[in-house]
Amino acid sequence: MRLTRAQRHLLDEGTHAQRKAMEILLTVGRLADAPRLVPIASAHVSGASYKMIGDPGLEFLEDFAQSARVSVPTTVNPLGTDLAQWQALGIPPEFAEKQARIARAYETMAVRPTFSCTPYLLGVRPASGEHVAWAESSAVCFANSVLGARTNREGGPAALAAAIVGATPEYGLHLDGGREPTVIVNVQTKPRGVDYSLIGLVAGERVGDGLPFFRGFRGTEEDLKWLGASLASSGACGMFHLEGVTP
């Protein structure tokens, strides 16, 4: 992979976390035959719930937090409990304490404590054509399909590595060729409300990791948020095209 002088410096002479971040990105890039790392405008990291990442994830984050700071606006997914009301919710003290440590690690790295899976509703709204590194599957689908931004379905560590470096491997949905539809979905009804979620649910099951091109309907951003969320959950889609809507 071609690296800029700044990226080479991070790999060779950066802090422990910066070097590890570069190693993660280079490994992902080599697996995908990416020619380079493309600069990103923002990152969104998953892996914030202690229930999901456990002690290994906590150790990883605290290790990174010792010597890493994000270099682009970075948001993070929801936690596993409300830190202010964990007792009222019946959360065990050990879980709450480790969950708080996860939150502190992210904040130490200058990640914005949004703790939400919809960063585009909280001030991080990439422009059409901008490259980002987002890890939350429903947010990825919305960014690509509705906003016209460019991001793959990143894993949590890769998204954090991209946030630290300020770049991500250029492959897949970052490229024009990777954004071409693979199947046409003709919708014969006029969806309303929950119908958008149901269309996404069925399409995701049938398309898998393909890229659907929907015809026959339009929708508000709220409608398309639900469409993309269910599509990304029942399938492995990182993007859909909606005729006359998707940039």
Side-chain angles (χ1 to χ4, degrees), residues 130-202:
E130 277 191 333
H131 295 274
V132 299
W134 286 13
E136 158 58 35
S137 60
S138 67
V140 165
C141 217
F142 188 91
N144 282 313
S145 312
V146 181
L147 302 181
R150 298 189 170 212
T151 178
N152 289 313
R153 284 175 54 134
E154 301 281 3
L160 180 58
I164 293 167
V165 172
T168 193
E170 188 181 39
Y171 71 97
L173 294 171
H174 289 283
L175 304 173
D176 288 347
R179 299 170 71 85
E180 294 178 356
T182 61
V183 60
I184 294 174
V185 181
N186 288 308
V187 178
Q188 302 292 324
T189 185
K190 298 300 180 185
R192 293 191 305 170
V194 72
D195 294 342
Y196 289 92
S197 292
L198 297 176
I199 290 170
L201 178 68
V202 174

Side-chain angles (χ1 to χ4, degrees), residues 44-133:
H44 181 77
V45 184
S46 61
S49 169
Y50 177 67
K51 183 177 181 180
M52 298 296 292
I53 67 174
D55 290 327
L58 171 58
E59 181 180 348
F60 172 82
L61 291 173
E62 290 188 328
D63 177 57
F64 258 47
Q66 292 181 34
S67 61
R69 300 295 180 270
V70 299
S71 61
V72 296
T74 304
T75 49
V76 61
N77 254 14
L79 303 176
T81 184
D82 186 319
L83 294 179
Q85 303 182 70
W86 62 269
Q87 288 177 304
L89 295 170
I91 301 298
E94 181 183 8
F95 185 102
E97 187 271 330
K98 291 184 176 180
Q99 184 64 84
R101 285 168 58 186
I102 290 172
R104 284 197 298 272
Y106 276 122
E107 292 186 58
T108 298
M109 289 185 280
V111 174
R112 299 179 184 181
T114 51
F115 305 128
S116 167
C117 58
T118 55
Y120 49 87
L121 298 179
L122 299 171
V124 181
R125 188 179 173 94
S128 180
E130 277 191 333
H131 295 274
V132 299

